[in-house]
């Protein structure tokens, strides 16, 4: 709810400090220490990059108030300094969003943290993404500044690599971690598509811009609740199996039908199987890319989104 970058940054750092502590909660285990330190280092670098971008923005505008920044920056001609600030904000907060190539901390953090903490940590990913969305959409008018393609590239890279790494995992916590990377890819791709459409085609396609953002925010909610449900189910399974191997889950439906059913709902929702809500958020993002099939950027993005939806099901 903060109305300026300074307040946003201070409280964002408080969230991060709390997250480092919670990930390292079981400090007597080496996985918790390793996950916490890696998360601390990556997120701190990201915070410094974001702070550098914010300080440059203050140098350009002389204020950090969002509404004042929007008026001042909106009068500037797009130049290399402004785009450097935009990239710094995306990369800075993007490290805590676990987008590729800044995702290496998340599997170790998920493995090291207690399951209840891992389920809460999905919220931190969405807050990081929301910081980027709010900063860009409020200060840098997407119809005036062309940063949609940057977000699409980050999003598609996260989708492809996150899905590929998830399929190769044997530890269910690491699988869920890389699944989070993939789902953050949907969110960043959706924001990128919305920005690209409004910049390239203006308000003629404002409905596609709105559909993309609706899909993004719905997918944020779907991922938080779906992944939280899955981590709670995985916690229940680990009590029964004493480990987190995917092979150990076989046959548990007979002993733990309720947890198995809950896990199935979470998995099918994140895979985008209708009529669960994960289907509708992905459909909104995909539908926005299908608005102008003659556009090569949107067509390629559509193809990657559809392909990765099948990958998600796998």
């Amino acid at each position: 709810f903060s109305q300026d970058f300074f307040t946003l940054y201070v409280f964002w750092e408080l969230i991060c400090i709390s997250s480092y502590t919670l990930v390292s909660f079981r400090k007597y285990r080496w996985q918790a220490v390793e996950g916490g330190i890696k998360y601390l280092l990556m997120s701190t670098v990201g915070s410094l990059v974001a702070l550098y971008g914010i300080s440059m923005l203050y140098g350009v505008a002389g204020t950090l108030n969002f509404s004042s920044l929007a008026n001042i920056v909106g009068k500037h001609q797009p130049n290399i300094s402004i785009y450097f600030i935009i990239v710094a904000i995306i990369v800075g907060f993007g490290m805590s969003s676990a987008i590729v190539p800044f995702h290496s901390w998340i599997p170790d953090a998920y493995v090291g943290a207690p399951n209840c903490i891992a389920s809460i940590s999905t919220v931190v990913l969405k807050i990081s993404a929301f910081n980027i969305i709010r900063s860009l959409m409020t200060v840098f008018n997407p119809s005036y500044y062309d940063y949609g393609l940057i977000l699409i590239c980050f999003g598609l890279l996260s989708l492809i690599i996150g899905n590929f790494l998830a399929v190769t995992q044997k530890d269910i916590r690491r699988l869920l971690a890389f699944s989070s990377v993939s789902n953050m890819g949907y969110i960043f791709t959706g924001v990128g598509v919305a920005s690209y459409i409004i910049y390239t085609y203006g308000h003629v396609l404002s409905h596609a811009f709105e559909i993309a953002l609706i899909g993004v925010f719905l997918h944020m909610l779907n991922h938080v609740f779906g992944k939280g449900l899955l981590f709670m189910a995985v916690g229940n399974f680990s009590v029964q199996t004493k480990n987190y191997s995917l092979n150990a889950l076989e046959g548990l439906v007979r002993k733990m039908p309720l947890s198995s059913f809950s896990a199935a709902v979470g998995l099918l929702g994140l895979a985008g199987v209708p009529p669960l809500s994960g289907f509708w958020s992905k459909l909104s993002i995909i539908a926005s890319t299908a608005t102008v099939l003659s556009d090569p950027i949107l067509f390629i993005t559509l193809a990657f989104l559809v392909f990765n939806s099948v990958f998600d099901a796998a």
Side-chain angles (χ1 to χ4, degrees):
F1 293 102
S2 56
Q3 298 302 311
D4 62 89
F5 265 120
F6 178 79
T7 309
L8 182 147
Y9 187 82
V10 168
F11 283 97
W12 167 244
E13 284 299 292
L14 288 175
I15 292 172
C16 289
I17 291 168
S18 305
S19 301
Y20 310 146
T21 309
L22 289 170
V23 167
S24 306
F25 183 77
R26 292 172 174 164
K27 59 184 183 294
Y28 46 85
R29 296 184 179 180
W30 69 266
Q31 297 102 323
V33 175
E34 182 187 18
I37 290 175
K38 189 175 283 189
Y39 182 23
L40 169 66
L41 291 173
M42 291 288 289
S43 188
T44 300
V45 171
S47 296
L48 290 172
V49 172
L51 182 62
Y52 188 65
I54 292 168
S55 66
M56 283 187 67
L57 190 59
Y58 182 77
V60 170
T63 180
L64 291 177
N65 181 272
F66 284 129
S67 57
S68 300
L69 281 171
N71 292 327
I72 296 167
V73 173
K75 296 174 183 176
H76 276 71
Q77 288 293 327
N79 56 59
I80 191 69
S81 298
I82 298 294
Y83 280 112
F84 183 87
I85 293 167
I86 290 171
V87 171
I89 290 171
I90 294 172
V91 170
F93 290 121
M95 285 195 182
S96 296
S97 297
I99 56 173
V100 174
F102 316 116
H103 65 291
S104 59
W105 61 268
I106 192 168
D108 294 301
Y110 275 22
V111 168
N115 290 301
C116 55
I117 303 304
S119 68
I120 294 169
S121 70
T122 57
V123 179
V124 179
L125 301 181
K126 306 306 168 300
I127 295 171
S128 306
F130 182 77
N131 284 345
I132 294 171
I133 297 168
R134 188 178 178 209
S135 301
L136 296 183
M137 294 290 178
T138 304
V139 178
F140 307 98
N141 189 335
S143 60
Y144 190 60
Y145 288 98
D146 182 17
Y147 48 79
L149 192 57
I150 300 171
L151 293 169
I152 289 173
C153 289
F154 275 121
L156 292 181
L157 199 61
S158 300
L159 262 176
I160 297 163
I161 294 178
N163 271 327
F164 176 77
L165 292 174
V167 169
T168 60
Q169 298 306 310
K170 295 181 180 179
D171 184 307
I172 191 166
R173 295 168 300 176
R174 296 182 73 87
L175 184 149
L176 294 178
F178 288 117
S179 167
S180 291
V181 174
S182 170
N183 279 281
M184 292 309 296
Y186 278 103
I187 291 167
F188 276 84
T189 303
V191 179
V193 167
S195 306
Y196 177 82
I197 286 173
I198 205 70
Y199 178 82
T200 308
Y201 299 100
H203 293 285
V204 176
L205 292 180
S206 60
H207 63 286
F209 172 81
E210 292 168 3
I211 289 169
L213 286 184
I214 287 169
V216 165
F217 288 118
L218 180 57
H219 199 68
M220 282 184 175
L221 285 173
N222 289 339
H223 186 248
V224 165
F225 288 117
K227 195 56 62 74
L229 177 64
L230 280 169
F231 268 109
M232 291 300 172
V234 166
N236 290 349
F237 294 148
S238 68
V239 173
Q240 183 74 32
T241 62
K242 308 303 179 187
N243 68 64
Y244 292 93
S245 169
L246 281 171
N247 295 330
L249 302 181
E250 191 173 351
L252 275 182
V253 67
R254 300 184 191 91
K255 297 178 181 177
M256 308 178 73
L258 186 58
S259 294
S260 299
F261 175 76
S262 300
V265 170
L267 288 167
L268 293 172
L270 291 178
V273 175
L276 297 173
S277 58
F279 169 76
W280 301 106
S281 58
K282 288 184 179 181
L283 180 64
S284 296
I285 295 170
I286 290 171
S288 65
T289 63
T291 310
V292 187
L293 291 177
S294 58
D295 188 307
I297 300 296
L298 293 179
F299 183 79
I300 292 169
T301 303
L302 173 63
F304 274 108
L305 285 172
V306 172
F307 173 74
N308 279 279
S309 295
V310 177
F311 224 143
D312 276 344

